[in-house]
Amino acid sequence: MKIVVDGMGGDNAPVSTVEGVVKAIDEYGIDIIITGDKEVLEKEFAKYTFDEKKLEIVHTNEVIENEDKPVKAVRSKKDSSMVVAFDLVRQGKASAVISAGNTGAILAAGLFVIKRVKGIDRPCICSAIPNVKGGMTLLSDSGANADCKPKNLCEFAGMSDIYAKKVLNIENPRVAVLNIGLEEGKGNDLVKKSYDMIKEMDLNFIGNVESREVINSFTDIIVCDGFTGNILLKATEGVAMSMFSLLKKSFISSFRSKIGAILLKSQLKGLKGMLDYSEYGGAPLLGVAGGVIKAHGSSDSKAIKNAINQGIKFAEGNVVEEIEKFAKSLKKEESVKGKEK
Amino acid sequence: MKIVVDGMGGDNAPVSTVEGVVKAIDEYGIDIIITGDKEVLEKEFAKYTFDEKKLEIVHTNEVIENEDKPVKAVRSKKDSSMVVAFDLVRQGKASAVISAGNTGAILAAGLFVIKRVKGIDRPCICSAIPNVKGGMTLLSDSGANADCKPKNLCEFAGMSDIYAKKVLNIENPRVAVLNIGLEEGKGNDLVKKSYDMIKEMDLNFIGNVESREVINSFTDIIVCDGFTGNILLKATEGVAMSMFSLLKKSFISSFRSKIGAILLKSQLKGLKGMLDYSEYGGAPLLGVAGGVIKAHGSSDSKAIKNAINQGIKFAEGNVVEEIEKFAKSLKKEESVKGKEK
């Protein structure tokens, strides 16, 4: 098995990316291909001692920047580190791709280079929100599809269920619909219809979940459209981070409070770690015909290493094959329902 | 001017409600009508010394419970403390109504008892989210309308602008659309179209705002559909509250940390106060033909008193009249546009 890493994507590339790759080779003994400017990358790798036989550098001339328009960039920058990396997955030369680059471009490269699994209408990004029990809750879709149909939410539910089982080893993942009330029949048109359809699927469906419970580990998977999911994801992250900076500020406001903060250092650090998004590697793009892990734009080497590990588990768990089976079952069901009518 | 208070609505009614009314009479010298079981209320009021000439108790036989179906309850419980209170506003016997009762029922009573301002398609609930600068950011709609059209978001923007100016004394309120990116053209169909329309309105429109900035005071008013708004509101509240309980738990984990927490007591209390939703009284229902302030279900006496103060400012600021003017200008614009076509 080989994993390909986009060597130039992300705020801390290639420095943290290279360090993360070295750590992954050391820890997992995995074969890695990295794409990017060969000279720059070689200089970075020269800093480390590791099993160099495990590494292949594929030289590319271009980089997709954060400011680039995603679709246009993927179509025009054919020799970018991102597009070449995705193309290696399409060709079957790598089992999964890791990129910390432009999120929109990752989505576009997934759709246009690797392409969708047949029968899946809308691939989704499945992000992990840390919860207060020290685990994580999956949020699908967290931003790939701003406008959705009920059918899409069913796909998100089924694909995330597979991911939770195969990559996160959750035995019987609880699936819930994000809503503004717990009772059946609540919400907007989209969630009401989606609720009725997901209820009929072969899932451990537990009903609606409210956003105030998101970090309380009420469910393993939260299903929603990508607009609402992105609002929720960024709100959770924003409030947590703002509260930490408020705490920090108030703790240095007096001598007394400074002493207090020193005594609480390990507790505060533990809490921050628990709610720190970078701990969790990356988010998979589910529903394309290959493993795609989107690492956080500001990933450090640990986050890159964790994302590579996710890519390995994704490939080992045959997630794509499982999603293909799921897509076929969806199609069969639709044709049965069509005949019933 | 008179304010009417629903004496039986809310988790802490009538105890906290009565105490809040007494505080408001003391502090603002305002005339108050309270609805509810006369015997029960009189017993509560007997605990306090205050200017009794300022108080009128209107006896009612029924109570709308949190479990009641809102529309059905408002239609069938004609002698409930809530419906009678709303009807006093409709009759012009009170300038504004305060209720901490069933949110859906408050909305239904606003629509069916007081009724909409002519020309306003969808009244909205305008909630205040505390921000890290110690102020608040308005969120419209925060839950009244799960499905919206762009036209509705324009109404929310215009009505909230009036409320911010007349009640909160914000001179030139900044208005932003809640979105999943800052650039124009981002988001789902609804926000893209709404953006284009709000941009043309006579407002201090600053563009899109992302949910991660919600508690950072980037804008004074955030406009969105009620489904997304409710998700955002509850996520913000949920994360803040969960973090406090996590902090609390970790702070009592060792002797050392307990000492630390004691030294930081005033800082932690200040932070909690800053982010405490009950400090901010209630949320107005904008677009109905009378003042309606929805207090938090778990309001204490201070929150009730603050909500009464909001009701006073709402009436003094002629918010309903200003919204009527705004609705007429919307209608005029529509008919001009109709002729242009």
Side-chain angles (χ1 to χ4, degrees):
Chain A
M1 186 200 298
K2 275 187 183 171
I3 302 289
V4 58
V5 176
D6 169 5
M8 311 303 276
D11 306 339
N12 306 318
V15 178
S16 296
T17 318
V18 164
E19 195 184 342
V21 165
V22 171
K23 282 183 178 169
I25 291 174
D26 278 358
E27 197 165 328
Y28 314 123
I30 180 80
D31 287 293
I32 289 185
I33 309 175
I34 188 167
T35 57
D37 186 308
K38 198 164 187 171
E39 203 175 319
V40 174
L41 291 173
E42 276 175 346
K43 221 168 131 185
E44 275 303 317
F45 279 109
K47 293 180 185 168
Y48 305 95
T49 314
F50 63 101
D51 185 352
E52 292 180 21
K53 291 190 303 294
K54 295 273 178 197
L55 181 75
E56 181 186 342
I57 300 179
V58 171
H59 178 72
T60 57
N61 276 310
E62 291 171 298
V63 177
I64 294 183
E65 309 287 352
N66 274 335
E67 301 70 35
D68 283 343
K69 295 256 170 201
V71 176
K72 202 182 148 195
V74 168
R75 291 209 161 127
S76 63
K77 292 186 169 178
K78 297 276 183 213
D79 197 32
S80 61
S81 60
M82 188 191 287
V83 171
V84 171
F86 276 69
D87 201 55
L88 287 167
V89 172
R90 183 194 60 83
Q91 294 173 50
K93 291 187 179 162
S95 304
V97 54
I98 318 299
S99 176
N102 180 324
T103 301
I106 290 174
L107 182 62
L111 292 174
F112 303 133
V113 179
I114 301 184
K115 294 194 173 71
R116 284 176 300 162
V117 166
K118 212 181 143 183
I120 295 295
D121 186 37
R122 296 288 191 93
C124 69
I125 295 175
C126 176
S127 292
I129 297 188
N131 62 48
V132 297
K133 294 206 175 146
M136 57 176 103
T137 306
L138 298 175
L139 182 68
S140 299
D141 174 24
S142 69
N145 308 283
D147 287 288
C148 289
K149 297 187 189 101
K151 179 190 166 187
N152 303 131
L153 269 68
C154 294
E155 292 176 351
F156 304 162
M159 296 192 294
S160 306
D161 180 64
I162 293 167
Y163 176 76
K165 283 174 180 159
K166 298 291 172 181
V167 177
L168 307 178
N169 300 318
I170 302 173
E171 217 173 284
N172 194 20
R174 297 162 295 172
V175 178
V177 169
L178 181 63
N179 209 333
I180 57 175
L182 293 177
E183 309 86 355
E184 197 172 340
K186 279 265 177 183
N188 59 14
D189 273 354
L190 174 68
V191 301
K192 282 186 217 168
K193 286 178 187 155
S194 303
Y195 185 107
D196 292 339
M197 288 167 70
I198 294 173
K199 199 172 63 174
E200 302 299 324
M201 292 172 70
D202 185 21
L203 295 168
N204 180 13
F205 182 57
I206 60 164
N208 291 319
V209 64
E210 284 195 292
S211 60
R212 73 170 106 232
E213 303 296 353
V214 157
I215 71 164
N216 288 334
S217 180
F218 256 53
T219 182
D220 299 302
I221 296 168
I222 296 175
V223 176
C224 59
D225 68 90
F227 184 85
T228 312
N230 199 264
I231 295 287
L232 176 60
L233 182 73
K234 287 179 183 161
T236 311
E237 194 175 343
V239 173
M241 290 305 140
S242 297
M243 276 187 68
F244 273 114
S245 46
L246 269 182
L247 276 175
K248 230 173 158 178
K249 233 180 172 167
S250 76
F251 287 1
I252 54 165
S253 61
S254 74
F255 179 69
R256 183 189 160 104
S257 68
K258 272 183 205 165
I259 302 290
I262 289 167
L263 293 171
L264 283 169
K265 206 173 172 185
S266 74
Q267 277 79 10
L268 291 170
K269 215 175 156 183
L271 189 64
K272 189 159 190 184
M274 193 186 275
L275 294 173
D276 190 354
Y277 286 70
S278 62
E279 292 276 323
Y280 294 95
L285 175 63
L286 300 174
V288 295
V292 176
I293 308 291
K294 182 194 90 63
H296 204 286
S298 56
S299 290
D300 57 14
S301 62
K302 190 177 162 193
I304 295 289
K305 188 203 77 177
N306 286 342
I308 292 171
N309 192 29
Q310 261 173 291
I312 296 170
K313 286 186 181 166
F314 196 97
E316 284 177 352
N318 297 312
V319 175
V320 171
E321 291 74 9
E322 293 289 330
I323 289 177
E324 282 168 350
K325 271 190 233 163
F326 164 68
K328 269 182 204 157
S329 76
L330 275 181
K331 221 178 160 184
K332 208 184 266 173
E333 214 166 282
E334 264 174 32
S335 81
V336 171
K337 280 202 181 147
K339 275 176 199 162
E340 279 173 2
K341 283 173 193 168
Chain B
M1 187 201 297
K2 275 186 184 173
I3 302 290
V4 57
V5 176
D6 169 4
M8 311 303 277
D11 306 339
N12 305 319
V15 179
S16 296
T17 318
V18 164
E19 194 184 343
V21 164
V22 171
K23 281 183 180 170
I25 290 175
D26 278 357
E27 197 166 327
Y28 314 124
I30 181 81
D31 287 294
I32 289 185
I33 309 174
I34 189 166
T35 57
D37 187 308
K38 199 164 186 169
E39 203 175 319
V40 174
L41 291 173
E42 276 175 348
K43 218 168 132 187
E44 276 302 318
F45 278 110
K47 292 181 187 167
Y48 305 95
T49 314
F50 64 99
D51 185 354
E52 292 180 22
K53 292 190 304 293
K54 296 271 178 198
L55 181 75
E56 181 185 345
I57 301 179
V58 171
H59 178 71
T60 57
N61 276 309
E62 292 171 297
V63 176
I64 295 182
E65 308 287 351
N66 274 335
E67 301 70 35
D68 284 343
K69 296 256 170 199
V71 175
K72 203 183 147 194
V74 168
R75 291 210 162 128
S76 63
K77 293 187 171 177
K78 296 277 183 213
D79 196 32
S80 61
S81 60
M82 189 192 286
V83 171
V84 171
F86 276 70
D87 201 54
L88 287 167
V89 172
R90 184 195 59 82
Q91 295 173 51
K93 289 185 180 163
S95 303
V97 54
I98 318 300
S99 177
N102 180 324
T103 301
I106 291 174
L107 183 61
L111 291 173
F112 302 134
V113 179
I114 301 184
K115 297 197 170 68
R116 285 176 301 162
V117 165
K118 211 179 144 185
I120 295 296
D121 187 37
R122 298 287 192 94
C124 70
I125 294 175
C126 176
S127 293
I129 297 186
N131 62 49
V132 297
K133 294 207 173 145
M136 56 176 102
T137 306
L138 299 175
L139 183 67
S140 300
D141 173 24
S142 68
N145 308 283
D147 288 288
C148 290
K149 298 190 188 99
K151 179 191 166 186
N152 304 132
L153 270 69
C154 295
E155 292 176 350
F156 305 162
M159 296 192 294
S160 307
D161 180 63
I162 292 166
Y163 176 75
K165 283 176 179 159
K166 299 290 172 182
V167 177
L168 308 178
N169 300 318
I170 302 173
E171 216 173 285
N172 194 21
R174 296 162 297 171
V175 178
V177 169
L178 181 64
N179 209 332
I180 57 175
L182 294 177
E183 309 85 356
E184 197 171 340
K186 279 267 178 182
N188 60 14
D189 273 354
L190 175 66
V191 301
K192 281 185 214 166
K193 285 178 188 155
S194 302
Y195 185 107
D196 291 340
M197 287 167 71
I198 294 173
K199 200 172 65 174
E200 301 299 323
M201 291 172 71
D202 185 22
L203 296 167
N204 180 12
F205 182 57
I206 61 165
N208 292 318
V209 64
E210 283 194 291
S211 60
R212 73 169 105 234
E213 302 296 354
V214 157
I215 71 163
N216 288 334
S217 179
F218 255 52
T219 181
D220 299 301
I221 297 167
I222 296 175
V223 176
C224 58
D225 69 271
F227 184 85
T228 313
N230 199 264
I231 296 287
L232 176 60
L233 183 73
K234 287 177 182 160
T236 311
E237 195 175 341
V239 173
M241 290 306 140
S242 298
M243 277 186 69
F244 274 113
S245 46
L246 269 181
L247 275 175
K248 228 172 159 179
K249 231 174 160 176
S250 76
F251 286 1
I252 55 166
S253 62
S254 74
F255 180 69
R256 185 189 159 104
S257 68
K258 274 183 203 162
I259 303 288
I262 289 167
L263 293 172
L264 283 169
K265 207 172 171 185
S266 72
Q267 276 78 11
L268 290 170
K269 216 174 155 186
L271 189 63
K272 191 158 188 185
M274 194 186 274
L275 294 174
D276 190 355
Y277 284 70
S278 62
E279 293 275 325
Y280 295 95
L285 175 63
L286 300 175
V288 295
V292 177
I293 309 291
K294 183 193 90 63
H296 204 286
S298 58
S299 289
D300 57 13
S301 62
K302 191 177 161 193
I304 295 289
K305 187 202 77 176
N306 287 341
I308 293 172
N309 192 28
Q310 262 174 293
I312 297 170
K313 285 186 184 167
F314 196 97
E316 283 177 349
N318 298 311
V319 174
V320 172
E321 291 74 9
E322 293 289 328
I323 289 177
E324 282 169 350
K325 270 190 232 165
F326 164 67
K328 269 182 203 156
S329 77
L330 276 180
K331 220 177 162 186
K332 206 184 264 175
E333 216 167 278
E334 264 175 32
S335 81
V336 170
K337 277 197 184 151
K339 278 177 196 162
E340 277 173 2
K341 281 174 194 166

